[in-house]
């Protein structure tokens, strides 16, 4: 097991202990589904000392007409330099996720908790932005039928 694995698992263990888990309740893994501000957030080991935090922001059931490639590209170009957030589309379902790559060593358990809570808020804002983009792309469309994740 590499130092990156050890650092990631140690960080997540410290985070989960801080959230009320006992060490015996925590299984070592490279991929965790966690909760932050009522949102399910995936935290997984990246490459070379990084971790990826992501969450679904728009549930799309195989409808590629709701995938706005230009809007996603514009978002990614802007946010690449303003926080490292990116939007990506799951190929199978066409659902939209927001993701951020982070350096494991920059965080302790409290810093990770704070960041994940901030990430959950930003993900909600990304979802709102995307719904507005969808509505703007088709004046006849209502967002009532869309699933805000």
């Amino acid at each position: 097991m590499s130092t990156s694995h050890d650092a990631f698992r140690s960080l997540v263990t410290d985070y989960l202990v801080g959230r009320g888990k006992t060490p015996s309740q925590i299984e070592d893994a490279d991929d965790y589904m966690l909760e932050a501000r009522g949102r399910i957030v995936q935290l997984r080991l990246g490459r070379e000392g990084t971790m990826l935090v992501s969450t679904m922001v728009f549930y799309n059931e195989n409808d590629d007409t709701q995938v706005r490639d230009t809007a996603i590209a514009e978002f990614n170009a802007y946010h690449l330099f303003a926080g490292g957030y990116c939007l990506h589309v799951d190929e199978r379902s066409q659902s939209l996720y927001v993701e951020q790559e982070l350096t494991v060593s920059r965080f302790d358990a409290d810093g990770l908790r704070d960041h994940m809570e901030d990430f959950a808020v930003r993900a909600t804002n990304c979802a709102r932005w995307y719904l507005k983009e969808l509505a703007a792309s088709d004046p006849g469309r209502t967002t009532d039928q869309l699933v805000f994740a």
Side-chain angles (χ1 to χ4, degrees):
M1 187 175 325
S2 73
T3 305
S4 295
H5 281 85
D6 292 338
F8 176 76
R9 290 175 178 174
S10 176
L11 175 62
V12 174
T13 297
D14 291 348
Y15 168 82
L16 291 171
V17 167
R19 303 280 300 208
K21 297 270 186 193
T22 63
S24 64
Q25 294 175 306
I26 302 168
E27 291 186 36
D28 283 341
D30 293 339
D31 191 336
Y32 295 88
M33 299 302 277
L34 306 169
E35 182 275 332
R37 292 191 175 247
R39 178 177 284 281
I40 300 299
V41 175
Q42 182 180 24
L43 185 66
R44 64 191 187 281
L45 183 63
R47 53 184 161 41
E48 301 176 19
T50 65
M51 60 185 167
L52 300 167
V53 57
S54 64
T55 189
M56 180 188 292
V57 293
F58 177 69
Y59 176 76
N60 187 15
E61 198 168 320
N62 300 313
D63 183 355
D64 61 0
T65 65
Q66 297 187 120
V67 176
R68 311 302 304 166
D69 292 329
T70 302
I72 292 169
E74 288 172 1
F75 178 95
N76 289 344
Y78 175 79
H79 286 280
L80 176 65
F81 300 106
Y85 293 88
C86 72
L87 292 175
H88 69 91
V89 178
D90 177 70
E91 289 182 34
R92 188 174 37 78
S93 69
Q94 298 294 296
S95 292
L96 187 70
Y97 290 79
V98 64
E99 182 173 83
Q100 185 181 33
E101 185 174 35
L102 306 166
T103 303
V104 173
S105 62
R106 292 187 56 214
F107 292 91
D108 61 10
D110 290 335
L112 181 59
R113 184 198 70 236
D114 293 344
H115 187 81
M116 286 185 49
E117 289 183 6
D118 180 63
F119 180 82
V121 170
R122 289 178 186 264
T124 299
N125 291 336
C126 290
R128 288 184 183 130
W129 172 84
Y130 194 73
L131 290 175
K132 286 179 189 174
E133 289 294 310
L134 278 176
S137 70
D138 181 0
R141 179 188 305 262
T142 65
T143 57
D144 296 342
Q145 300 140 339
L146 305 175
V147 180
F148 172 62

